[in-house]
Amino acid sequence: MSRSESSDGGRRDATGREADLRYALHLLKGNRLVLVGLFLSAATILLVLLSHLLVDPNLANQQPLALRLCWNNPIINWNIANVKTCPSQLPLGTDAYGRNLLQMIILAIPIDMQIAFEVVASAIVIGVVFGGLAGYAGGFVDEVILRITDVFLAIPGILLAIVLIVVLGRSLPTLTLAILITWWPYYVRLMRSQILSEKEKPYVERLRAMGAGGPRILYLHIVRNAIYPILVQATLDVGSVILTVSALTFIGLTPNPLLPELGNLASQGIANIFTAPWLILFPGLTILLISLGFNLLGDGIRDVFDPKLRR
Amino acid sequence: MRLYEYILRRLLLMIFVLFALSLLIFYLTRGLLPPTSALAAYITPRMDDNAKLSVARALGVATANCPSYQAFTQLQSGCVVPVWGQYLTWLQNALTGNWGYSLLPGVAPLTTTWNAFFGRFPFTVELALAAAILTILLGVPLGIISATHSNKWPDHLSRIVSLGGYSVPQFWFGAVLQIIFVLYIRVNGLGLLATNSAVATTCGICFASPGTVTAFTGAPVFDGLLSLNFPYLWDSLVALALPALTLAITSIGAITRIVRSSMVDVLKQDYITLARSKGLKERVVIYKHALRNALLPAVTVSGLLVSYLLGGVVVVEIVFSWPGVGNASLAAANVLDVNFLELYVLVTAVIIVVTNLLVDIAYAFLDPRIKY
């Protein structure tokens, strides 16, 4: 059972918690989809850590134009007339600048993952601070915070992000900021609703009776018990953020056309979609696998830790 | 609180949201960059400084007593209208129906923003509606099948479809559909690949000359239907199929997940056991007794769904060169066309807020326990 279910602020005896953990691991082992998710996300993180060792980042800036859009992989035959054959074997062909597509994808994964982690981590912090405040304080503070989230939830996020990127300039930090600005309201809402049900529990009253102050009760005790759904949501959102980043760079809001970023690599492919289909297929497939990995993982964790969904 | 009081309160709240949004978008497009950037899209190299100054005045960026364009670019005091002043002028114009002229590439000169927007809007509505219908037609049955066959192969299959749909980049899914149907299966273009061009352009499953229709709504499918021109209707549906499926794929995944989990919950409840023990057929138990309750959570997210579809059109319209507002909004953002962006944001916001309100009202009718 997760700590959010215990009513005494997570201070259960060690044996009980150990048994819980063992039971959770047992459930996880039986769930094959989670294992696939775990494998995919672990592989992604491994690639993030090793990418600069596997591929020299300077290769992204080289443009061997003679090798543009060529394909030399004996296993896959595209059956398209006039495909240029690369002089040496390149597993995923080359892109519109003549760079090795496989190397570019390996260089791209850390860039997308960095943005995803930055957005999700900042959204959690904003969610905890303001959602916690809204839920715990209630009244006027709650009303003001809710109305601000209303404004942001009333327009499609991508539109706001597009305007922000155009105005603030095209760079990776503005891309991150633009996505964060469309993302935080969900976390504030989620945290607030968690706090609302958590703050009525008896242990909060006990803490209050013991003389603990509001901020201490909220941020040290209630948040600690109410944060698990937020963390599950965050795992699920890593995939969604990567989808959003790549969509934004795909439609042309990229800092630099040479930047090895998955959406950016795919955007070269749309112009050559019927002559060089690999150029959009493989970067997109990479996005799909990363996002699927984190979604499977998040789903599985939720299934295991949410007693309502346990069979 | 009575229902009408609740609706009134929500509508008042909507006015606040629209006002705040218009302020936000105006500040983003006009307040963060130097005032000359507002002119960038209007100025041509052949204009002299007087012409530029009159453009600046017409846009409400330069004051009437600004002596010269030089003074304006050097931001002399009393020459540049402050952002709040620009906003008030804009608000006054917008409220009287004056949304300025469109800056979009490819529209006829002196087309008003209003006409440019609402000329394209029916295409977006058509696409979003088709995607919403696909979402319900595919997502709800998949969710039900998944729940009733829990942990058997139909469940695994529909979970893979839903998680895949949830994880797939839309632009990629659209591109893959185009590659499959145009390059390999060749539904649209029959015949073999020509030696030089990879794609055949002859029409495979559509009518080469479907004729014309009266523009009742501006959306091809509805116009074809209302004009009783069925070849035109068929062609519009053929054109709509792939973009609509692309737009729907993510929301199909989301709805399947929600319907599945709520159906699983409902099927465990006592009244379902009672219905089964009365000897009712499984079909009746599921479709008559369980479904109504299981769909409640799906109804709640339909507000989010509308918001999602209206946002998703931006990418899907670009991938399929669909002539809707989503496609145009990127062009509008690139030239900082404040009127078009405001119109888009406000129209979208009204749709989203009203949908959310309707969902909440519908909820009260569907679930009599809920009171406002």
Side-chain angles (χ1 to χ4, degrees):
Chain A
M1 197 177 282
S2 74
R3 265 202 290 184
S4 61
E5 293 305 308
S6 62
S7 56
D8 55 359
R11 267 178 282 167
R12 315 184 70 207
D13 55 305
T15 46
R17 214 190 283 170
E18 230 169 68
D20 275 355
L21 200 63
R22 225 178 292 136
Y23 183 48
L25 282 177
H26 166 72
L27 283 177
L28 271 177
K29 256 189 235 161
N31 191 335
R32 269 188 224 144
L33 285 180
V34 185
L35 293 181
V36 175
L38 196 63
F39 171 75
L40 284 174
S41 356
T44 309
I45 289 169
L46 202 65
L47 271 177
V48 168
L49 298 175
L50 297 180
S51 116
H52 282 206
L53 294 175
L54 292 171
V55 180
D56 176 12
N58 289 323
L59 286 174
N61 299 320
Q62 289 167 10
Q63 301 180 45
L65 290 174
L67 293 177
R68 294 182 73 233
L69 301 176
C70 67
W71 180 260
N72 187 355
N73 177 338
I75 299 163
I76 306 173
N77 173 16
W78 296 102
N79 214 356
I80 300 169
N82 294 340
V83 172
K84 216 165 74 176
T85 312
C86 298
S88 57
Q89 249 189 33
L90 296 168
L92 299 184
T94 60
D95 70 357
Y97 299 103
R99 303 175 297 181
N100 181 338
L101 188 59
L102 180 62
Q103 289 179 341
M104 290 308 112
I105 289 175
I106 292 174
L107 285 181
I109 292 171
I111 296 180
D112 285 83
M113 289 298 289
Q114 191 191 344
I115 296 181
F117 277 123
E118 282 171 3
V119 169
V120 168
S122 322
I124 292 176
V125 172
I126 297 174
V128 165
V129 173
F130 290 99
L133 197 63
Y136 192 72
F140 181 70
V141 179
D142 188 25
E143 192 74 10
V144 169
I145 292 177
L146 272 188
R147 293 294 82 85
I148 295 174
T149 58
D150 272 350
V151 174
F152 283 88
L153 292 176
I155 51 167
I158 195 156
L159 192 70
L160 190 59
I162 290 174
V163 175
L164 272 167
I165 295 168
V166 168
V167 171
L168 297 177
R170 293 160 192 208
S171 68
L172 289 180
T174 51
L175 207 56
T176 313
L177 182 71
I179 297 170
L180 177 62
I181 283 179
T182 66
W183 222 272
W184 66 270
Y186 298 98
Y187 281 75
V188 170
R189 289 275 175 110
L190 188 59
M191 193 69 205
R192 175 182 172 273
S193 66
Q194 287 298 318
I195 300 281
L196 282 184
S197 61
E198 194 71 25
K199 76 171 179 183
E200 302 301 333
K201 292 192 173 164
Y203 77 90
V204 178
E205 203 154 327
R206 195 178 83 186
L207 285 167
R208 218 174 277 142
M210 284 162 69
R216 187 190 166 90
I217 297 178
L218 173 60
Y219 292 115
L220 279 184
H221 296 271
I222 299 184
V223 164
R224 231 172 87 175
N225 285 322
I227 204 159
Y228 288 91
I230 313 274
L231 295 182
V232 170
Q233 187 60 38
T235 317
L236 291 168
D237 273 354
V238 170
S240 310
V241 174
I242 287 181
L243 291 183
T244 312
V245 179
S246 55
L248 285 170
T249 52
F250 177 81
I251 61 176
L253 299 170
T254 169
N256 166 10
L258 282 174
L259 180 78
E261 190 277 336
L262 293 167
N264 202 11
L265 293 173
S267 76
Q268 305 169 15
I270 198 79
N272 306 299
I273 180 168
F274 299 127
T275 48
W278 60 86
L279 198 39
I280 193 161
L281 279 180
F282 294 115
L285 197 62
T286 314
I287 301 171
L288 172 61
L289 288 177
I290 296 177
S291 158
L292 190 65
F294 283 96
N295 279 335
L296 284 171
L297 188 65
D299 240 28
I301 295 176
R302 183 168 53 192
D303 281 3
V304 166
F305 285 101
D306 187 347
K308 269 186 291 179
L309 293 174
R310 276 186 192 173
R311 290 183 304 274
Chain B
M1 208 186 330
R2 293 283 179 77
L3 186 61
Y4 72 87
E5 284 174 40
Y6 177 75
I7 295 175
L8 207 66
R9 192 182 118 92
R10 291 282 296 259
L11 288 177
L12 282 176
L13 211 61
M14 178 172 92
I15 294 172
F16 159 76
V17 166
L18 294 182
F19 180 74
L21 266 181
S22 73
L23 201 61
L24 176 71
I25 296 294
F26 198 90
Y27 180 73
L28 284 178
T29 41
R30 285 281 177 85
L32 292 174
L33 293 173
T36 43
S37 62
L39 311 181
Y42 294 86
I43 289 178
T44 58
R46 286 162 67 193
M47 278 184 175
D48 61 4
D49 281 0
N50 280 333
K52 287 177 185 171
L53 185 61
S54 53
V55 168
R57 282 188 185 137
L59 284 175
V61 185
T63 53
N65 48 15
C66 190
S68 69
Y69 185 66
Q70 238 62 44
F72 173 69
T73 52
Q74 286 158 8
L75 311 179
Q76 269 182 23
S77 62
C79 218
V80 178
V81 181
V83 180
W84 60 266
Q86 296 179 28
Y87 176 74
L88 288 181
T89 317
W90 173 85
L91 190 63
Q92 205 176 2
N93 284 333
L95 289 176
T96 53
N98 174 9
W99 291 78
Y101 293 105
S102 178
L103 290 174
L104 293 175
V107 298
L110 296 184
T111 309
T112 56
T113 306
W114 187 269
N115 288 341
F117 181 85
F118 283 102
R120 287 164 163 272
F121 192 56
F123 287 92
T124 299
V125 172
E126 180 184 284
L127 182 57
L129 266 183
I133 292 170
L134 274 180
T135 304
I136 294 166
L137 285 186
L138 294 176
V140 173
L142 267 178
I144 296 173
I145 292 170
S146 196
T148 52
H149 297 77
S150 188
N151 289 312
K152 296 200 190 76
W153 69 264
D155 182 26
H156 295 310
L157 189 72
S158 89
R159 286 186 91 171
I160 289 169
V161 168
S162 92
L163 264 171
Y166 208 69
S167 317
V168 76
Q170 278 182 325
F171 63 84
W172 184 75
F173 188 68
V176 170
L177 286 181
Q178 286 183 28
I179 291 174
I180 292 174
F181 283 99
V182 179
L183 202 52
Y184 292 108
I185 302 185
R186 300 188 200 117
V187 173
N188 237 354
L190 294 173
L192 293 170
L193 298 179
T195 38
N196 278 326
S197 71
V199 188
T201 47
T202 41
C203 211
I205 54 164
C206 50
F207 293 88
S209 49
T212 52
V213 291
T214 322
F216 290 106
T217 58
V221 169
F222 298 116
D223 286 351
L225 196 64
L226 292 174
S227 313
L228 299 176
N229 182 343
F230 293 106
Y232 191 92
L233 174 65
W234 173 252
D235 279 11
S236 324
L237 285 174
V238 169
L240 185 60
L242 294 188
L245 184 60
T246 307
L247 182 55
I249 186 73
T250 314
S251 43
I252 289 174
I255 289 288
T256 307
R257 278 155 67 123
I258 290 163
V259 171
R260 178 186 183 274
S261 73
S262 68
M263 194 77 176
V264 165
D265 272 359
V266 168
L267 285 177
K268 276 188 215 145
Q269 286 182 16
D270 291 345
Y271 81 99
I272 296 294
T273 318
L274 173 70
R276 279 184 181 142
S277 58
K278 277 198 303 191
L280 291 179
K281 282 187 190 128
E282 188 64 16
R283 208 158 42 96
V284 178
V285 173
I286 288 167
Y287 291 99
K288 228 170 156 199
H289 294 242
L291 187 60
R292 204 181 134 133
N293 281 331
L295 281 185
L296 274 178
V299 173
T300 2
V301 296
S302 45
L304 262 178
L305 175 71
V306 168
S307 158
Y308 185 80
L309 290 177
L310 287 173
V313 291
V314 177
V315 174
V316 176
E317 286 184 1
I318 289 171
V319 173
F320 285 94
S321 304
W322 194 256
V325 286
N327 198 339
S329 70
L330 182 65
N334 276 325
V335 294
L336 295 178
D337 184 346
V338 74
N339 283 309
F340 190 92
L341 291 174
E342 290 274 9
L343 200 54
Y344 187 7
V345 166
L346 294 181
V347 169
T348 315
V350 169
I351 295 174
I352 292 172
V353 174
V354 169
T355 318
N356 279 326
L357 178 57
L358 291 178
V359 164
D360 286 352
I361 295 170
Y363 213 74
F365 284 105
L366 288 173
D367 187 347
R369 287 168 301 184
I370 290 173
K371 290 270 181 294
Y372 292 104

